[in-house]
Amino acid sequence: MKLNNFFAELKRRNVYKVAVAYAVVAWLLIQAASILLPTFEAPAWVMKVFIAVIALGFPIALIIAWAFELTPEGIKRTEPGEELQSRPSRSRTWSYVVAIAGILSLGLFFLGRLTAPTKQSASGEISKSIAVLPFESLSEDKSNAYFADGIQDEILARLSKIADLKVISRTSTQKYKSAPNDLREIAQRLGVANILEGSVQKVNDQVRVTVQLINALNDSHLWAETYDRKLIDVFAAESDIAQKIAISLEAKLTGREKEDIQSAGTKNPQAYDALLRALALRNSSSRVDLEKQIEFSRHAVELDPNYADAWANLALTEIYKSQTPWKSEEQKERARTAAETALRLAPNSANAHKAMGLFYRYCLKDDRAALAELETARERAPNDGGVLEAVGLLERAQGRIQDALVTLKKAADLDPLNAEIWIVLSLTYAGLRQFDEAHLMVDRALAITPDDIDTLAGKASFYQAQGDLNAAWRLLGSHPFPRTEWAGLIYYQQYYLQRDYDKLIAELGVYDLADKNLPPIIVLWVQATLGNLYLLKGEAELAAPYVEKVRRAIKELQAQNIVLPEVYRILIEFAARLRDRDQVEDEIAFILAYTRDNHWILPDSEYDAARGYAVLGDLEKALPLLQDSLSKPNGTTTATLRLDPAWDGVRNNSRFQKLANAKP
């Protein structure tokens, strides 16, 4: 057959028309499938198989078109050179098929374009999300349970470095036992599509790690593996697990991320074991477990002085201890040494930069240097909720409140069952005087820890700031006066605003101020509060024993750089009620200087200073500070002014009344 005749025969047998019609209909089907399959949560391979079947059908359709004709009498085999009288009708039929298919395809195309960006974006984001549940310990020796926790933590640390994934923090996942029954419910609560389950068995220096990756939304198993390794070779297994998860979830890995997740921290199995023991205690808040973390981390660096991750964890635990009443200058220097050593050994390590950043933040009070280090840590580990929370707090301290809210919400998204983050968010909204949002956020925390007295007291403090003492009391009244630091201050505020001074004296009187285990800052606060309350009651002789004790304790604690800004409210008020202007001004100057670079805390300190001057009757100094506090985030509220006894001496002043009665 000549070439020209061949093409003419293709045209006569409608092969061209079949090809066009098939292509249009195939396009129509693919568009429909791309919309419908994700709706029904079909696995990704279903779409791939569907496209492959359509592609294979194309040559088959062409062969059938060549061999057979559609006639009014039905399908017949095409004879060479045959001219059928029904051809015009057949031509119109094909034209109709192509036109209708084309219109439908075009409609679906634009429908997909209108809906796909949101759906595909949401679908793509959720499909690249994962929660690593606590690994089950299968070791016969129950004392090896720490090892399963440590392995989970190490895998999470590697996954947190992959920017294209959403990885839920351990604080949230640890609330679920390994191999739970309802994975779909857990995934929905954590906001992920995928769950990694696993088990660990350790016998001497032999370790077996078994993992399986599950799409919890459709209960499909994506990947499973068992690793039998010697203890020191577990690093390779952890890296392999992280990489295979990324591949299974179609997450893009940069060259740097591949390098980071393949990093082996130490060649010393005993040092690795010691660090895992420390990591297993990471989410415990008890003082005993904190000391154990420090002990295990220090043992790890003694066994391997070049173990950067162990140095970083040692630094973090020492820094956390520096925020407790049992801190010391020597302990702060140990934190510095550990953080600097971690950064020297691993200058690109997220953990090292995190440790250095938190050291600047909490030990040196250098927020700018802290934020620079923590931004580097965030870049290296974008899924580390702890880093995000720390960055958000620093942004807030710099006065970048909206940036802080965005960062803190991202932290909450990665750690949705961490009550602390929701509390921070609630306090941030309260500082903006957006109390509806503040209550919503603290209710999220209460849903996680419904019986936590600090969280309940936090919600009560919002009602206090709104001037609704009855609502605050409904939360506080059924619980005894707590001895915890934060809740205790809020209970004190409730009784103080209610002017129930006798109740406060009775509650504070149970403290054994000679107890060596009672932190000095708490002893100082109790002494100053009792002295102030006696003065409020007009019983100056009962306040007298506390005067010199308070003055001496202030100097001692300031010399040790032990400062709790919340304590200065009562210190300033006590000095003012003693009519000791020099002491008042000294304390005001100290606390304003101490908090001047923190845009979040400073407005509260300005209110403390304004109260002191008001008690002295010095409105010329009190009112500018009060105006500043009222106009800034986290300053006081007009409702508080109307209730606070500190303003009783100037309450009838017209300038004060104008501020106190201004609309929020």
Side-chain angles (χ1 to χ4, degrees):
M1 183 182 293
K2 293 182 179 180
L3 189 59
N4 289 340
N5 291 342
F6 174 70
F7 287 117
E9 190 69 10
L10 287 176
K11 183 177 180 181
R12 186 182 73 81
R13 294 174 183 245
N14 297 305
V15 175
Y16 290 142
K17 293 177 180 177
V18 170
V20 172
Y22 191 96
V24 172
V25 172
W27 176 254
L28 172 67
L29 293 173
I30 291 172
Q31 288 293 312
S34 67
I35 295 172
L36 294 174
L37 290 179
T39 301
F40 292 100
E41 299 176 351
W45 62 264
V46 174
M47 187 66 177
K48 295 176 182 177
V49 171
F50 183 72
I51 294 173
V53 170
I54 289 177
L56 290 172
F58 184 68
I60 296 173
L62 296 185
I63 292 170
I64 292 173
W66 173 270
F68 298 96
E69 288 278 359
L70 180 63
T71 73
E73 292 79 24
I75 297 175
K76 293 184 178 181
R77 185 178 180 83
T78 304
E79 298 297 333
E82 181 182 0
E83 293 287 346
L84 297 174
Q85 293 179 351
S86 60
R87 181 176 175 184
S89 173
R90 187 175 62 248
S91 297
R92 286 194 296 273
T93 300
W94 283 114
S95 298
Y96 294 151
V97 170
V98 171
I100 293 171
I103 292 170
L104 288 173
S105 179
L106 197 62
L108 278 173
F109 175 78
F110 284 111
L111 176 63
R113 287 295 177 206
L114 289 172
T115 60
T118 301
K119 288 184 178 179
Q120 287 180 0
S121 175
S123 175
E125 183 179 347
I126 194 73
S127 68
K128 295 180 182 180
S129 57
I130 184 171
V132 181
L133 298 188
F135 283 13
E136 183 180 6
S137 176
L138 300 180
S139 303
E140 292 184 6
D141 185 350
K142 300 304 179 184
S143 65
N144 282 337
Y146 75 91
F147 199 81
D149 291 338
I151 293 292
Q152 178 210 13
D153 202 275
E154 286 280 276
I155 292 171
L156 274 172
R158 283 168 164 73
L159 290 173
S160 72
K161 296 175 171 63
I162 303 174
D164 203 29
L165 284 179
K166 173 187 174 182
V167 184
I168 300 300
S169 297
R170 184 172 182 255
T171 315
S172 291
T173 59
Q174 72 170 351
K175 299 181 184 296
Y176 299 102
K177 65 178 182 179
S178 54
N181 294 325
D182 195 344
L183 289 181
R184 186 184 182 90
E185 181 183 342
I186 292 172
Q188 289 175 339
R189 191 171 185 198
L190 294 176
V192 297
N194 306 287
I195 298 287
L196 185 74
E197 295 181 328
S199 63
V200 178
Q201 186 174 17
K202 179 177 179 288
V203 180
N204 298 323
D205 67 341
Q206 290 294 127
V207 179
R208 168 171 286 186
V209 180
T210 301
V211 290
Q212 59 175 340
L213 181 63
I214 301 168
N215 184 318
L217 301 183
N218 57 24
D219 198 28
S220 60
H221 286 64
L222 304 179
W223 165 74
E225 189 71 76
T226 296
Y227 299 86
D228 287 305
R229 297 285 192 274
K230 287 190 174 296
L231 177 60
I232 199 56
D233 296 327
V234 170
F235 284 119
E238 293 163 352
S239 299
D240 190 62
I241 290 169
Q243 290 186 73
K244 286 184 177 176
I245 288 172
I247 293 169
S248 297
L249 302 185
E250 299 181 354
K252 296 177 182 177
L253 277 175
T254 66
R256 188 185 73 187
E257 289 169 349
K258 288 179 181 178
E259 182 180 341
D260 286 348
I261 64 178
Q262 289 174 354
S263 172
T266 181
K267 295 181 179 179
N268 187 313
Q270 287 76 32
Y272 178 58
D273 184 79
L275 180 61
L276 290 187
R277 290 177 185 271
L279 293 177
L281 299 169
R282 180 177 290 183
N283 288 318
S284 172
S285 58
S286 79
R287 182 185 177 189
V288 172
D289 284 345
L290 179 60
E291 294 294 346
K292 286 182 179 178
Q293 274 198 75
I294 293 174
E295 180 185 340
F296 286 133
S297 299
R298 186 160 296 283
H299 185 49
V301 300
E302 288 170 354
L303 292 167
D304 182 357
N306 295 318
Y307 195 178
D309 284 341
W311 279 109
N313 198 66
L314 176 60
L316 290 171
T317 51
E318 293 281 15
I319 291 164
Y320 295 149
K321 186 178 178 181
S322 76
Q323 300 312 297
T324 70
W326 298 275
K327 63 183 178 181
S328 66
E329 284 300 310
E330 295 79 7
Q331 182 263 326
K332 186 174 78 173
E333 285 306 307
R334 291 195 297 270
R336 179 199 296 273
T337 299
E340 290 177 345
T341 304
L343 201 56
R344 175 177 56 80
L345 292 171
N348 295 321
S349 163
N351 277 341
H353 284 285
K354 177 181 179 179
M356 200 72 238
L358 294 180
F359 175 76
Y360 280 127
R361 173 73 178 91
Y362 293 111
C363 297
L364 299 186
K365 312 300 180 185
D366 187 342
D367 287 356
R368 292 187 181 278
L371 187 56
E373 291 290 343
L374 288 167
E375 287 287 12
T376 303
R378 173 161 66 168
E379 181 186 354
R380 305 295 300 204
N383 285 294
D384 189 323
V387 169
L388 285 168
E389 183 183 0
V391 170
L393 290 173
L394 284 168
E395 289 172 335
R396 195 179 71 174
Q398 290 186 348
R400 296 160 49 195
I401 311 298
Q402 295 306 317
D403 289 343
L405 284 172
V406 171
T407 304
L408 291 169
K409 286 177 181 178
K410 173 65 174 174
D413 188 45
L414 293 176
D415 205 356
L417 301 186
N418 184 349
E420 179 185 330
I421 294 177
W422 295 110
I423 292 170
V424 170
L425 275 167
S426 72
L427 292 170
T428 305
Y429 278 114
L432 294 172
R433 301 165 181 93
Q434 297 177 19
F435 290 106
D436 288 344
E437 287 295 326
H439 284 294
L440 287 175
M441 295 296 105
V442 78
D443 286 344
R444 293 289 297 267
L446 285 169
I448 299 166
T449 56
D451 299 322
D452 184 72
I453 192 64
D454 279 336
T455 309
L456 284 167
K459 186 173 178 68
S461 74
F462 303 155
Y463 286 124
Q464 291 172 354
Q466 293 174 276
D468 192 345
L469 294 183
N470 290 331
W473 184 247
R474 284 195 292 273
L475 288 172
L476 302 176
S478 59
H479 301 277
F481 195 102
R483 301 295 170 231
T484 57
E485 182 178 289
W486 190 45
L489 289 173
I490 294 167
Y491 270 75
Y492 165 82
Q493 179 79 347
Q494 180 73 20
Y495 288 119
Y496 180 76
L497 295 178
Q498 291 176 170
R499 300 167 188 260
D500 192 348
Y501 306 138
D502 288 332
K503 175 66 174 177
L504 276 173
I505 290 171
E507 291 291 351
L508 297 177
V510 303
Y511 279 92
D512 179 6
L513 299 183
D515 183 357
K516 298 298 184 183
N517 292 319
L518 196 63
I521 193 77
I522 302 301
V523 173
L524 170 61
W525 180 79
V526 172
Q527 290 173 334
T529 301
L530 285 170
N532 188 62
L533 291 170
Y534 284 126
L535 291 174
L536 274 166
K537 292 183 64 182
E539 299 173 349
E541 70 283 0
L542 295 177
Y546 297 106
V547 176
E548 285 306 317
K549 291 179 181 179
V550 168
R551 288 172 177 163
R552 186 168 58 251
I554 291 172
K555 292 179 180 179
E556 290 174 356
L557 292 175
Q558 286 180 353
Q560 299 175 49
N561 199 30
I562 299 176
V563 180
L564 190 65
E566 293 88 341
V567 171
Y568 275 75
R569 177 167 299 183
I570 196 64
L571 295 180
I572 292 169
E573 184 181 350
F574 183 36
R577 293 197 185 282
L578 290 169
R579 321 310 295 174
D580 188 344
R581 175 176 281 272
D582 289 342
Q583 184 72 22
V584 169
E585 294 194 331
D586 283 348
E587 300 310 327
I588 287 175
F590 177 84
I591 198 60
L592 291 181
Y594 186 82
T595 60
R596 68 186 173 197
D597 294 327
N598 190 312
H599 295 269
W600 186 253
I601 299 178
L602 179 61
D604 202 41
S605 298
E606 289 178 322
Y607 181 63
D608 296 342
R611 292 174 79 254
Y613 284 123
V615 172
L616 288 174
D618 190 345
L619 268 181
E620 297 307 315
K621 287 190 174 181
L623 289 183
L625 289 163
L626 179 56
Q627 286 176 314
D628 254 11
S629 182
L630 283 167
S631 65
K632 295 175 182 177
N634 205 40
T636 192
T637 64
T638 55
T640 300
L641 291 185
R642 293 191 290 271
L643 294 169
D644 191 344
W647 299 98
D648 287 355
V650 298
R651 198 164 293 284
N652 294 326
N653 181 277
S654 60
R655 288 184 296 167
F656 172 78
Q657 288 182 344
K658 184 178 180 180
L659 290 175
N661 295 316
K663 291 184 178 180

